[in-house]
Amino acid sequence: MLSEIEYKKLAWHSRRGMRELDLLLLPFVNTVLREISAEEQTLYKLLLDEEDQDLYNWLVLRTPAPNEGLAKIIGIIRASR
């Protein structure tokens, strides 16, 4: 599971500066991130490496995620709202 330092880093990187993304990601980080599996936390880290526009399009289902792993974590984020 995440250490406190890892959690804080992910929380910081989840603040994207794009209001729409912040509204989708920050509640997930605050309520769900610590509860998901280590594998899912790793997928979330990978998701944060992506471009904001891609993230937004995937999260609002405008375009499909490019792979199964990202699709899985996006589903978890969407289900947590």
Side-chain angles (χ1 to χ4, degrees), residues 2-45:
L2 292 173
S3 70
E4 188 63 22
I5 291 172
E6 290 172 315
Y7 172 77
K8 287 181 179 181
K9 283 182 182 180
L10 286 177
W12 176 257
H13 289 292
S14 296
R15 298 172 194 270
R16 307 298 286 202
M18 184 176 166
R19 181 175 167 84
E20 295 86 349
L21 278 178
D22 290 349
L23 291 172
L24 294 167
L25 296 177
L26 296 178
F28 168 78
V29 168
N30 293 329
T31 60
V32 179
L33 183 60
R34 289 182 173 166
E35 307 300 321
I36 59 177
S37 72
E39 174 193 347
E40 293 164 342
Q41 290 169 349
T42 299
L43 290 172
Y44 186 71
K45 290 176 195 176

Side-chain angles (χ1 to χ4, degrees), residues 27-69:
F28 168 78
V29 168
N30 293 329
T31 60
V32 179
L33 183 60
R34 289 182 173 166
E35 307 300 321
I36 59 177
S37 72
E39 174 193 347
E40 293 164 342
Q41 290 169 349
T42 299
L43 290 172
Y44 186 71
K45 290 176 195 176
L46 293 173
L47 183 71
L48 293 180
D49 289 338
E50 301 294 334
E51 296 291 325
D52 288 354
Q53 279 307 123
D54 292 333
L55 285 176
Y56 182 73
N57 286 332
W58 300 333
L59 285 164
V60 298
L61 304 178
R62 279 192 188 153
T63 57
N67 64 57
E68 222 175 276

